[in-house]
Amino acid sequence: VQLQASGGGLVQAGGSIGLSCAASGRFAHTYGMGWFRQAPGKEREFVAATSWSGGNTRYADSVEGRFTISRDKALNTVYLQMDNLKPEDTAIYYCAAGPWPVLPTTRYWGQGTQVTVSS
């Protein structure tokens, strides 16, 4: 499975930004997909994930109500809409794919994309 992430950038606190991640390869159309992030000096942490069908989603408490994960099955692409961003959301965001619930031990990762939230 190959993952190609895009999006990210610099945004002011309270603003919005979106990320996308396209999956290709064997089993790409059956796996759940999700997002993790890593801030400077911190460990990688879970952000959000969606099952292959999109019927199941889960979020980290820190982003619940502000971030929305969605999936286009036809395009094998997952999206992360991030609203009401806070400076503490600044991190490199990584998309991942794997069996639901998409654990951090999954073997399939995309390249990171930087999100910087200015105060």
Side-chain angles (χ1 to χ4, degrees):
V1 176
Q2 294 80 45
L3 302 172
Q4 181 67 47
S6 60
L10 175 64
V11 63
Q12 289 188 331
S16 300
I17 203 166
L19 305 178
S20 62
C21 178
S24 61
R26 192 178 184 188
F27 302 126
H29 65 289
T30 63
Y31 280 165
M33 296 180 72
W35 293 93
F36 293 75
R37 68 186 181 186
Q38 187 166 18
K42 295 186 177 181
E43 294 186 352
R44 189 175 297 187
E45 65 175 3
F46 169 76
V47 176
T50 179
S51 60
W52 170 78
S53 68
N56 292 302
T57 57
R58 64 188 190 103
Y59 295 91
D61 289 344
S62 59
V63 307
E64 181 85 51
R66 300 188 297 120
F67 291 11
T68 303
I69 190 169
S70 60
R71 183 169 190 167
D72 186 322
K73 289 186 288 184
L75 297 178
N76 276 341
T77 298
V78 65
Y79 305 94
L80 185 68
Q81 177 63 35
M82 301 183 287
D83 300 319
N84 191 22
L85 282 159
K86 303 176 180 180
E88 51 263 44
D89 294 318
T90 295
I92 298 174
Y93 284 70
Y94 299 89
C95 66
W100 180 255
V102 192
L103 298 175
T105 52
T106 185
R107 62 186 293 185
Y108 301 113
W109 295 90
Q111 86 284 9
T113 184
Q114 178 73 45
V115 173
T116 302
V117 184
S118 63
S119 57

